[in-house]
Amino acid sequence: MIWNNLSNLLANEFEALEDKSKFLKEKHARLTYCGEGSRMLTKAKADDNFEALKDRHLHGQKHYAGYSQATLRAILYIREMHEYFDPSEIDFMTDFGPGYGNFTRCWHDLYGLYNPKLHFQLVDLSRLHQISEYHLGLHNITVNHRTLNDMISPHGKSLFFAAHSLNEMVLKERTRVEQQLVKYDYLFLVYNNAFEGIDNCVWFDGLAKRLEKDFLTYTYQEEATAKWRMVGVKK
């Protein structure tokens, strides 16, 4: 599996660094966690949360006026969520495939101080936990690290968030994740057109139909990131 192999490359690279402060300059981390953000910058600048979410730890990656691509994406994702539900009401957020943890950092910066009940579950391959743990530790953010095998059920108002993770799994593993989704109040899934021969647009359209008993679902393509979204709101 591509992610099993990549997780070992990322973990080996990270573990080999004596000074981890610029770990996103390394080959595999740069290719996996970083990307082009110039198209998103203008749109993100117009958002009310833009100043509040400026990166404090860039770890050596390319940035856009002090903002990482991951932060610019987070600003746009959260803005879009407001069209379907109120993010400030979330008590339990699962970040599935959290990268180096920056979306969780953004969410905590916006809502963590105002909601003492807010709980974060970061689900990833076990060797990658150390990467998000390092980044979030610099921000004094406590999370619950889990794998697909030992996820805990949400409580309170809950959100399942997956950006470029569920869409990069084999079909057998996606089925296991799908079984978890009905436990949540809200879903926000980001995906590209295809992955290793799987037509993601077809698969996510099918997912929306399979969930229609429990959720109102919305799918659309966002122009600044050029990626697709599926939003679910529990009926």
Side-chain angles (χ1 to χ4, degrees):
M1 293 173 62
I2 184 173
W3 268 103
N4 284 335
N5 294 332
L6 183 55
S7 69
N8 287 325
L9 292 172
L10 287 164
N12 291 341
E13 184 179 78
F14 185 77
E15 291 166 2
L17 294 172
E18 291 186 16
D19 177 7
K20 303 186 189 304
S21 64
K22 297 188 184 303
F23 76 93
L24 288 176
K25 292 183 71 173
E26 301 301 310
K27 175 183 176 181
H28 297 294
R30 185 178 71 254
L31 293 174
T32 304
Y33 298 136
C34 308
E36 173 60 35
S38 57
R39 288 191 305 173
M40 291 176 262
L41 180 60
T42 300
K43 192 170 183 179
K45 278 183 177 180
D47 192 88
D48 292 341
N49 294 324
F50 184 71
E51 293 295 334
L53 293 180
K54 189 169 185 176
D55 290 86
R56 301 191 292 282
H57 298 281
L58 287 161
H59 307 298
Q61 68 180 299
K62 181 180 180 180
H63 62 86
Y64 306 85
Y67 291 79
S68 64
Q69 185 213 48
T71 292
L72 295 175
R73 281 181 170 177
I75 291 169
L76 298 183
Y77 294 158
I78 294 169
R79 176 201 282 185
E80 293 167 42
M81 289 177 190
H82 275 282
E83 298 180 21
Y84 303 95
F85 58 90
D86 184 352
S88 69
E89 295 182 352
I90 300 299
D91 300 310
F92 188 108
M93 195 265 283
T94 291
D95 191 346
F96 187 86
Y100 66 95
N102 196 58
F103 181 80
T104 294
R105 188 277 299 179
C106 292
W107 195 278
H108 181 272
D109 282 359
L110 289 177
Y111 308 117
L113 295 178
Y114 308 104
N115 184 358
K117 298 186 298 181
L118 185 56
H119 182 99
F120 295 104
Q121 175 176 227
L122 271 63
V123 181
D124 211 340
L125 296 171
S126 57
R127 287 198 72 195
L128 297 181
H129 289 162
Q130 61 186 313
I131 297 176
S132 54
E133 184 176 19
Y134 170 76
H135 178 65
L136 294 172
L138 295 174
H139 296 84
N140 297 312
I141 299 172
T142 300
V143 303
N144 193 335
H145 284 98
R146 295 280 174 163
T147 68
L148 179 55
N149 295 325
D150 63 1
M151 291 176 64
I152 60 176
S153 295
H155 57 260
K157 284 289 185 181
S158 57
L159 168 66
F160 185 95
F161 173 79
H164 304 288
S165 51
L166 179 56
N167 64 302
E168 294 185 355
M169 300 178 75
V170 297
L171 295 178
K172 181 180 178 180
E173 296 298 292
R174 295 188 194 196
T175 300
R176 295 180 62 199
V177 177
E178 186 175 335
Q179 294 168 356
Q180 298 284 332
L181 300 183
V182 293
K183 300 177 182 179
Y184 290 82
D185 296 295
Y186 305 108
L187 314 173
F188 193 89
L189 314 176
V190 182
Y191 55 99
N192 53 10
N193 290 327
F195 175 75
E196 293 199 331
I198 301 170
D199 187 324
N200 278 325
C201 293
V202 170
W203 189 86
F204 278 91
D205 282 347
L207 176 63
K209 289 182 174 63
R210 292 191 295 276
L211 293 174
E212 64 184 7
K213 176 184 175 182
D214 299 293
F215 290 90
L216 298 173
T217 59
Y218 310 87
T219 57
Y220 61 95
Q221 188 176 34
E222 197 280 324
E223 60 181 13
T225 58
K227 298 295 185 288
W228 291 85
R229 316 283 199 259
M230 190 192 108
V231 181
V233 178
K234 188 66 86 53
K235 292 180 178 177

